[in-house]
Amino acid sequence: MRQLNILKAILDLFWFFTLIGAIGVVVFLPFYLFGFVVDIPIKIKGQEIATNDVFSKIIVFINVVSGLLFLYSIYLLRKVVSLFQKREIFNEEVVKLFNLIGQLVIATSLISNISLFIYKFVEKDSADLNLDLGSYDSFLISISLGLFFIVISAIFKIATRMKEENELTI
């Protein structure tokens, strides 16, 4: 169970620092969206959002929402690890949380990548698909990770049912 404690500590650390950043972004976002002159360059996944027009602001807003949804998935993962620490492993809440985490990871990856693809296509007049095969921020890795959580949810659902059946037969 030492690994579980290390995982919980890492997730808590990540959650704390990302939450501080998210609060900063949420405070900054209205200034950016409602026309205050902001000379801070904005980069999303290495793509600089250079203009201050309505389309660029929509792209930034969509990506902020995507980031907040990802932060929520980390919060849910912390809840799962907390349940594991309490030895509540095979129950319906864990199944639902794993499934929701998987859906959120897939949704945030799709939202972020599609919005940046559209931005590049409209603003830069070029369409490119960057898979980042050697990166942990890869689109394919994100989708795979989301699907992995959904598969884990299905496995835990089967195990939960088997545990219930086993308890009934005793």
Coordinates of all heavy atoms in Angstrom, one line a residue, residues 69 72-84 86 88-89 91-105 145-146 148-154 156-157 160:
L69 N -12.1 21.0 -16.8 CA -12.7 19.7 -16.8 C -11.6 18.6 -16.5 O -11.9 17.6 -15.8 CB -13.4 19.4 -18.1 CG -14.7 20.1 -18.4 CD1 -15.2 19.8 -19.8 CD2 -15.7 19.6 -17.4
Y72 N -11.0 18.7 -12.9 CA -12.1 17.9 -12.2 C -11.8 16.4 -12.2 O -12.1 15.7 -11.3 CB -13.4 18.3 -12.8 CG -14.6 17.6 -12.1 CD1 -14.9 17.8 -10.8 CD2 -15.4 16.7 -12.8 CE1 -15.9 17.1 -10.2 CE2 -16.5 16.1 -12.2 CZ -16.7 16.3 -10.9 OH -17.8 15.7 -10.3
S73 N -11.3 15.9 -13.4 CA -11.0 14.5 -13.5 C -9.9 14.1 -12.5 O -9.9 13.0 -11.9 CB -10.6 14.1 -14.9 OG -9.4 14.6 -15.3
I74 N -8.9 15.0 -12.3 CA -7.9 14.7 -11.3 C -8.5 14.7 -9.9 O -8.1 13.8 -9.0 CB -6.8 15.8 -11.3 CG1 -6.1 15.7 -12.7 CG2 -5.8 15.6 -10.2 CD1 -5.4 14.4 -13.0
Y75 N -9.5 15.6 -9.6 CA -10.2 15.6 -8.3 C -10.9 14.2 -8.1 O -10.8 13.6 -7.0 CB -11.2 16.7 -8.3 CG -12.1 16.7 -7.1 CD1 -11.7 17.0 -5.8 CD2 -13.4 16.3 -7.3 CE1 -12.6 16.9 -4.8 CE2 -14.3 16.2 -6.3 CZ -13.9 16.5 -5.0 OH -14.8 16.4 -3.9
L76 N -11.5 13.7 -9.2 CA -12.2 12.4 -9.1 C -11.2 11.3 -8.9 O -11.5 10.4 -8.1 CB -13.1 12.2 -10.3 CG -14.2 13.2 -10.6 CD1 -14.9 12.8 -11.9 CD2 -15.2 13.1 -9.4
L77 N -10.1 11.4 -9.5 CA -9.1 10.3 -9.3 C -8.6 10.3 -7.9 O -8.3 9.3 -7.3 CB -7.9 10.5 -10.3 CG -6.8 9.5 -10.3 CD1 -7.4 8.1 -10.6 CD2 -5.8 9.8 -11.3
R78 N -8.5 11.5 -7.3 CA -8.1 11.6 -5.9 C -9.1 11.0 -5.0 O -8.8 10.3 -4.0 CB -7.9 13.1 -5.4 CG -6.7 13.8 -6.0 CD -6.6 15.2 -5.7 NE -6.5 15.4 -4.2 CZ -7.3 16.2 -3.5 NH1 -8.3 16.8 -4.1 NH2 -7.2 16.3 -2.2
K79 N -10.4 11.1 -5.4 CA -11.5 10.5 -4.6 C -11.4 8.9 -4.7 O -11.6 8.2 -3.7 CB -12.9 10.9 -5.1 CG -13.4 12.2 -4.6 CD -14.7 12.6 -5.1 CE -15.8 11.8 -4.5 NZ -17.2 12.3 -4.9
V80 N -11.1 8.4 -5.9 CA -10.9 7.0 -6.1 C -9.8 6.5 -5.2 O -9.9 5.4 -4.5 CB -10.7 6.6 -7.5 CG1 -10.2 5.2 -7.7 CG2 -11.9 6.9 -8.4
V81 N -8.6 7.2 -5.2 CA -7.5 6.7 -4.4 C -7.9 6.8 -2.9 O -7.5 5.9 -2.1 CB -6.2 7.6 -4.7 CG1 -5.1 7.3 -3.8 CG2 -5.8 7.3 -6.1
S82 N -8.6 7.8 -2.5 CA -9.1 7.9 -1.1 C -9.9 6.7 -0.7 O -9.8 6.1 0.4 CB -9.8 9.2 -0.8 OG -9.0 10.3 -0.9
L83 N -10.8 6.3 -1.7 CA -11.7 5.1 -1.4 C -10.8 3.8 -1.3 O -11.1 3.0 -0.5 CB -12.7 5.0 -2.5 CG -13.8 6.0 -2.5 CD1 -14.7 5.9 -3.8 CD2 -14.7 5.7 -1.3
F84 N -9.8 3.7 -2.2 CA -8.9 2.6 -2.1 C -8.1 2.6 -0.8 O -8.0 1.5 -0.2 CB -7.9 2.6 -3.2 CG -8.4 2.3 -4.6 CD1 -7.6 2.4 -5.7 CD2 -9.7 1.8 -4.7 CE1 -8.1 2.0 -6.9 CE2 -10.2 1.5 -6.0 CZ -9.4 1.6 -7.1
K86 N -9.3 3.5 2.0 CA -10.3 3.1 3.0 C -10.7 1.6 2.8 O -11.6 1.1 3.4 CB -11.5 4.0 3.0 CG -11.3 5.4 3.3 CD -12.5 6.2 3.1 CE -12.3 7.7 3.3 NZ -13.5 8.5 2.9
E88 N -12.3 0.5 0.3 CA -13.5 0.4 -0.4 C -13.2 0.3 -1.9 O -13.2 1.3 -2.6 CB -14.4 1.6 -0.1 CG -14.8 1.7 1.3 CD -15.6 3.0 1.6 OE1 -16.3 3.5 0.7 OE2 -15.5 3.5 2.7
I89 N -13.0 -0.9 -2.4 CA -12.5 -1.1 -3.7 C -13.6 -1.5 -4.7 O -13.7 -0.8 -5.7 CB -11.3 -2.1 -3.7 CG1 -10.2 -1.6 -2.9 CG2 -10.9 -2.5 -5.1 CD1 -9.1 -2.6 -2.6
N91 N -17.0 -1.3 -5.2 CA -18.3 -0.8 -5.0 C -18.7 0.1 -6.2 O -17.9 0.4 -7.1 CB -18.4 0.0 -3.7 CG -17.6 1.3 -3.6 OD1 -17.4 1.9 -4.6 ND2 -17.3 1.6 -2.4
E92 N -20.0 0.4 -6.3 CA -20.5 1.2 -7.4 C -19.9 2.5 -7.6 O -19.8 3.0 -8.7 CB -22.1 1.2 -7.3 CG -22.8 0.0 -7.5 CD -22.6 -0.6 -9.0 OE1 -22.6 0.2 -9.9 OE2 -22.3 -1.8 -9.1
E93 N -19.6 3.2 -6.5 CA -19.0 4.5 -6.6 C -17.7 4.5 -7.4 O -17.4 5.4 -8.2 CB -18.8 5.2 -5.3 CG -18.4 6.6 -5.3 CD -18.3 7.3 -4.0 OE1 -18.5 6.6 -2.9 OE2 -18.0 8.5 -4.0
V94 N -16.8 3.5 -7.1 CA -15.6 3.4 -7.8 C -15.8 3.2 -9.3 O -15.1 3.8 -10.1 CB -14.7 2.3 -7.2 CG1 -13.5 2.0 -8.0 CG2 -14.3 2.7 -5.8
V95 N -16.8 2.3 -9.6 CA -17.1 2.1 -11.0 C -17.5 3.3 -11.7 O -17.0 3.7 -12.8 CB -18.2 1.0 -11.1 CG1 -18.7 0.8 -12.5 CG2 -17.7 -0.4 -10.6
K96 N -18.4 4.1 -11.1 CA -18.9 5.3 -11.7 C -17.8 6.4 -11.8 O -17.7 7.1 -12.9 CB -20.1 5.9 -10.9 CG -21.3 5.1 -11.0 CD -22.4 5.6 -10.0 CE -23.6 4.7 -10.1 NZ -24.7 5.2 -9.1
L97 N -17.0 6.5 -10.8 CA -15.9 7.5 -10.9 C -14.9 7.1 -12.0 O -14.4 8.0 -12.7 CB -15.2 7.5 -9.5 CG -16.0 8.2 -8.4 CD1 -15.2 8.1 -7.1 CD2 -16.2 9.7 -8.7
F98 N -14.5 5.8 -12.1 CA -13.6 5.5 -13.2 C -14.2 5.8 -14.5 O -13.5 6.3 -15.4 CB -13.2 4.0 -13.1 CG -12.0 3.7 -12.2 CD1 -12.0 2.6 -11.4 CD2 -10.9 4.5 -12.3 CE1 -10.9 2.3 -10.6 CE2 -9.8 4.2 -11.5 CZ -9.8 3.1 -10.7
N99 N -15.4 5.4 -14.7 CA -16.1 5.7 -16.0 C -16.1 7.2 -16.3 O -15.8 7.6 -17.4 CB -17.5 5.1 -16.0 CG -18.1 5.1 -17.4 OD1 -17.4 5.0 -18.4 ND2 -19.4 5.3 -17.4
L100 N -16.5 8.0 -15.3 CA -16.5 9.5 -15.5 C -15.2 10.0 -15.8 O -15.0 10.9 -16.6 CB -17.2 10.1 -14.3 CG -17.4 11.6 -14.3 CD1 -18.2 12.0 -15.6 CD2 -18.1 12.1 -13.1
I101 N -14.1 9.6 -15.1 CA -12.8 10.0 -15.3 C -12.4 9.7 -16.8 O -11.8 10.6 -17.5 CB -11.8 9.4 -14.3 CG1 -12.0 9.9 -12.9 CG2 -10.3 9.6 -14.8 CD1 -11.3 9.0 -11.9
G102 N -12.7 8.5 -17.2 CA -12.4 8.2 -18.6 C -13.1 9.1 -19.6 O -12.5 9.6 -20.6
Q103 N -14.4 9.3 -19.4 CA -15.1 10.2 -20.3 C -14.6 11.6 -20.3 O -14.5 12.3 -21.3 CB -16.6 10.2 -19.9 CG -17.3 8.9 -20.2 CD -18.7 8.8 -19.7 OE1 -19.2 9.8 -19.1 NE2 -19.4 7.7 -19.8
L104 N -14.2 12.1 -19.1 CA -13.7 13.5 -19.0 C -12.3 13.6 -19.7 O -12.0 14.6 -20.4 CB -13.5 13.9 -17.5 CG -14.8 14.3 -16.8 CD1 -14.6 14.5 -15.3 CD2 -15.5 15.5 -17.4
V105 N -11.4 12.6 -19.5 CA -10.1 12.7 -20.2 C -10.3 12.7 -21.7 O -9.6 13.5 -22.4 CB -9.2 11.5 -19.7 CG1 -8.0 11.4 -20.5 CG2 -8.9 11.7 -18.2
L145 N -5.6 6.8 -22.6 CA -5.8 6.8 -21.1 C -7.2 6.9 -20.7 O -7.7 6.2 -19.8 CB -5.0 8.0 -20.6 CG -4.9 8.1 -19.1 CD1 -4.1 7.0 -18.5 CD2 -4.2 9.4 -18.7
G146 N -8.0 7.7 -21.4 CA -9.4 7.8 -21.2 C -10.1 6.4 -21.4 O -10.9 6.0 -20.6
F148 N -8.7 3.6 -21.2 CA -8.2 2.7 -20.2 C -9.1 2.8 -18.9 O -9.4 1.8 -18.3 CB -6.7 3.0 -19.9 CG -6.2 2.2 -18.7 CD1 -5.9 0.8 -18.9 CD2 -6.0 2.8 -17.5 CE1 -5.4 0.1 -17.8 CE2 -5.5 2.0 -16.4 CZ -5.2 0.7 -16.6
F149 N -9.4 4.0 -18.5 CA -10.2 4.3 -17.3 C -11.6 3.7 -17.5 O -12.2 3.1 -16.6 CB -10.3 5.7 -17.0 CG -9.2 6.2 -16.2 CD1 -8.3 7.2 -16.7 CD2 -8.9 5.8 -14.9 CE1 -7.2 7.6 -16.0 CE2 -7.9 6.3 -14.1 CZ -7.0 7.2 -14.7
I150 N -12.1 3.8 -18.8 CA -13.5 3.2 -19.0 C -13.4 1.7 -19.0 O -14.3 1.0 -18.4 CB -14.0 3.7 -20.4 CG1 -14.3 5.2 -20.3 CG2 -15.2 2.9 -20.8 CD1 -14.6 5.9 -21.6
V151 N -12.3 1.1 -19.5 CA -12.2 -0.4 -19.4 C -12.0 -0.8 -18.0 O -12.6 -1.8 -17.5 CB -11.0 -0.8 -20.3 CG1 -10.6 -2.3 -20.0 CG2 -11.3 -0.6 -21.7
I152 N -11.2 -0.1 -17.2 CA -11.1 -0.4 -15.8 C -12.4 -0.3 -15.1 O -12.7 -1.1 -14.2 CB -10.1 0.6 -15.1 CG1 -8.6 0.3 -15.6 CG2 -10.1 0.5 -13.6 CD1 -8.1 -1.0 -15.2
S153 N -13.2 0.7 -15.4 CA -14.6 0.8 -14.9 C -15.4 -0.5 -15.2 O -16.1 -1.0 -14.3 CB -15.3 2.0 -15.4 OG -16.6 2.0 -15.1
A154 N -15.3 -1.0 -16.4 CA -16.1 -2.2 -16.8 C -15.6 -3.4 -16.0 O -16.3 -4.2 -15.5 CB -16.0 -2.4 -18.3
F156 N -14.1 -3.3 -13.0 CA -14.5 -3.2 -11.6 C -16.0 -3.5 -11.5 O -16.4 -4.0 -10.5 CB -14.1 -1.8 -11.1 CG -12.8 -1.7 -10.5 CD1 -11.6 -1.8 -11.2 CD2 -12.7 -1.5 -9.1 CE1 -10.4 -1.7 -10.7 CE2 -11.4 -1.4 -8.5 CZ -10.3 -1.5 -9.3
K157 N -16.8 -3.2 -12.5 CA -18.2 -3.5 -12.5 C -18.4 -5.0 -12.4 O -19.2 -5.5 -11.6 CB -18.9 -2.9 -13.7 CG -20.4 -3.0 -13.6 CD -21.0 -2.2 -14.8 CE -22.5 -2.1 -14.6 NZ -23.1 -1.3 -15.7
T160 N -17.3 -6.2 -9.0 CA -18.3 -5.9 -8.0 C -19.5 -6.8 -8.0 O -19.9 -7.3 -7.0 CB -18.8 -4.4 -8.2 OG1 -17.6 -3.6 -8.2 CG2 -19.8 -4.0 -7.2

